[in-house]
Amino acid sequence: MFKKVLIANRGEIAIRIMRACRELDVSTVAVYSDADKNALFPKYADEAYHIGPSPSSQSYLNMDKIIEVAKESGAEGIHPGYGFLSENPVFAKKCKAAGIVFIGPSSEVIEKMGSKIAARKLMIEAGVPVVPGYDKAIEDVDEALVMADSIGYPVMIKASAGGGGIGMKVVYSKDDFKSSLVSIQSVAQSAFGDPTVFIEKYVEEPRHIEFQILADSHGNTVYVSDRECSIQRRHQKLMEEAPSPVLSPELRKKMGEAAVKAAKSIGYENAGTVEFLYSKGDFYFLEVNTRLQVEHCITELVTGIDLAKQQLLIACGKELPFKQEDIKITGHAIECRINAEDPLNDFAPSPGKITRYRSPGGPGVRIDSGVYMGYVIPPFYDSMIAKLCTWGETREEAINRMKRALYEFVIIGVTTNIPFHKAVLSNEAFVRGDLTTHFIEDHNILDAVKEVVEQEKEKGFTLASVLGNNSRKTAAATAAVSAYVNAAKQQSNCQQTK
Ligand code: MV4
């Protein structure tokens, strides 16, 4: 096992990885920016090094500086977490060249999966179902129009270098095709420096279902349960659950085996996620995320497997300690991403000081967070305060526990999306497990959020009032004010959360 590992990330995920290190008796090295001087994660680490100014381009994305710190501190491996450098093939390559283990897949694999056209082509060759379409870059409009006709409208134009929802557009008819093509090419050029696009059939009202996989360096690859991630807004996931309520055991096995086939065909090693679109009993490969994901915790809750720990073990050449048939899903888990953002103001970020804080606990509750009472959420990164996960023997129990945990959660000083989660959990379609990627709009969740906020104002903040010596009235007023007043300080570049 490693003696020392550097964590090239911040916030809750830095702590999550350091927890795995601590349990394996691995020393930890944190790196932090100006804005994170008072964050929890550098204090949790055995050693912490300042690496630069607050903007991530000058700190968490500074590859050479991070590698220099790794060498200086004697770290043998670098764990990149999610976001930042986690899916950067250049960084993985630089680590290797510096004699440091990048804790993740190889640079070559990351690069291959970065090109969506290449990924599509590889999956077709491997026999993994993909959305009907072409694994070919569009070269001229006339040729593309013929392709679109043969696929049948609506079609989707996607940037090959895209992913996570940037650089794609639905086209409903021939008349809109050319202008959409030109606009996506230009978005792709400016966002990724690569104007290459391709087309697929547009799958309407799909569900987003992904499979966690683990692959060691001895040729063992397993799928470790699926996650349903349909509750998202503008490609930011807000709530996830494991397992997906829609999959039968037979379909789960079939999709899981497809995910393993996908991983094996590209020589994948370490933890990864194979994303699928699901619609009416059919599933289609979308992309491979070559990192540990935000929502990995719910998979840990239903399988008992510590994914971060397995990443470290795999990176040291250890064999997976279980086979496919040993992996069992027990019960159900849900994750709510608790963000400092205002769902009633277009989910605008609400950075600032957390003046009162008490997190929930009790049976079946897991919290991953990097904040504390008095902490100031900086405006430079994502706005996630905590990941609140619950486990239950059944989906119903997990839902009821989540509602109970959200009731217990006290966060005063910044506006949070807790009312959003309460509104979703009380929605009948959600309770039925009837989800699509358009869930928030289709079920007028924002209207329900308004009602939740109104109710809470009336109820008062009894739990908040026991924190600190301010009166119950003051706490209620603070909360009410922060829920309604919108600070203008709300531009942050949300670079971290994927
Ligand atoms: C699609 C699609 C429908 N049809 N592709 C969004 C993220 C990127 N990885 C691909 N995405 C989609 N691709 C075809 N052919 C719908 C989406 C999509 C989506 C996918 C997963 C989760 C949320 C989504 C929200 C809107 C669109």
Side-chain angles (χ1 to χ4, degrees), residues 7-23:
I7 296 90
N9 215 300
R10 61 181 299 281
E12 69 84 17
I13 195 63
I15 292 178
R16 167 69 192 94
I17 296 156
M18 290 193 278
R19 282 176 166 154
C21 289
R22 204 158 274 276
E23 290 180 26

Side-chain angles (χ1 to χ4, degrees), residues 157-388:
I157 305 177
K158 294 183 171 182
S160 183
I166 307 160
M168 48 185 237
K169 201 167 173 132
V170 189
V171 187
Y172 290 92
S173 84
K174 209 187 192 95
D175 307 334
D176 303 332
F177 192 84
K178 192 173 173 185
S179 61
S180 298
L181 177 64
V182 172
S183 97
I184 285 299
Q185 283 170 328
S186 108
V187 166
Q189 175 62 44
S190 57
F192 313 112
D194 174 5
T196 311
V197 299
F198 65 106
I199 56 174
E200 281 181 356
K201 176 82 188 162
Y202 177 57
V203 181
E204 290 176 82
E205 300 268 307
R207 300 170 73 123
H208 172 138
I209 300 175
E210 58 186 34
F211 277 73
Q212 177 70 52
I213 57 118
L214 282 175
D216 67 20
S217 57
H218 303 270
N220 305 301
T221 306
V222 294
Y223 63 93
V224 196
S225 123
D226 52 301
R227 296 183 287 258
E228 164 104 34
C229 308
S230 295
I231 309 284
Q232 54 81 45
R233 181 189 161 269
R234 299 199 191 148
H235 309 292
Q236 282 287 99
K237 294 171 186 164
L238 288 164
M239 195 190 283
E240 303 95 338
E241 58 183 295
S244 165
V246 80
L247 297 186
S248 63
E250 294 72 35
L251 191 51
R252 174 165 297 113
K253 183 162 186 278
K254 205 169 149 195
M255 289 174 79
E257 285 169 358
V260 167
K261 202 150 71 170
K264 284 198 166 193
S265 75
I266 55 174
Y268 202 94
E269 192 182 310
N270 216 292
T273 297
V274 183
E275 284 187 7
F276 295 103
L277 282 180
Y278 169 95
S279 175
K280 302 176 187 117
D282 289 321
F283 66 93
Y284 312 97
F285 168 85
L286 258 194
E287 48 191 82
V288 176
N289 296 319
T290 56
R291 61 174 188 276
L292 183 67
Q293 287 186 274
V294 176
E295 62 271 26
H296 74 278
C297 312
I298 52 177
T299 301
E300 297 186 324
L301 285 173
V302 295
T303 62
I305 294 171
D306 185 325
L307 294 168
K309 209 180 264 180
Q310 288 306 324
Q311 284 193 291
L312 293 160
L313 291 163
I314 290 168
C316 287
K318 299 277 192 294
E319 210 169 325
L320 285 175
F322 37 72
K323 298 264 173 260
Q324 190 64 59
E325 59 269 25
D326 302 323
I327 301 170
K328 295 270 177 303
I329 296 178
T330 306
H332 202 90
I334 302 176
E335 169 178 272
C336 287
R337 299 191 189 190
I338 310 298
N339 297 336
E341 64 185 16
D342 185 356
L344 296 183
N345 182 28
D346 206 26
F347 292 82
S350 168
K353 184 169 179 169
I354 299 175
T355 54
R356 298 282 177 272
Y357 185 82
R358 189 177 194 276
S359 54
V365 175
R366 167 174 170 175
I367 294 218
D368 287 66
S369 170
V371 308
Y372 53 86
M373 189 149 100
Y375 176 69
V376 180
I377 301 169
F380 299 98
Y381 316 106
D382 72 19
S383 64
M384 198 156 72
I385 299 171
K387 302 189 305 202
L388 172 58

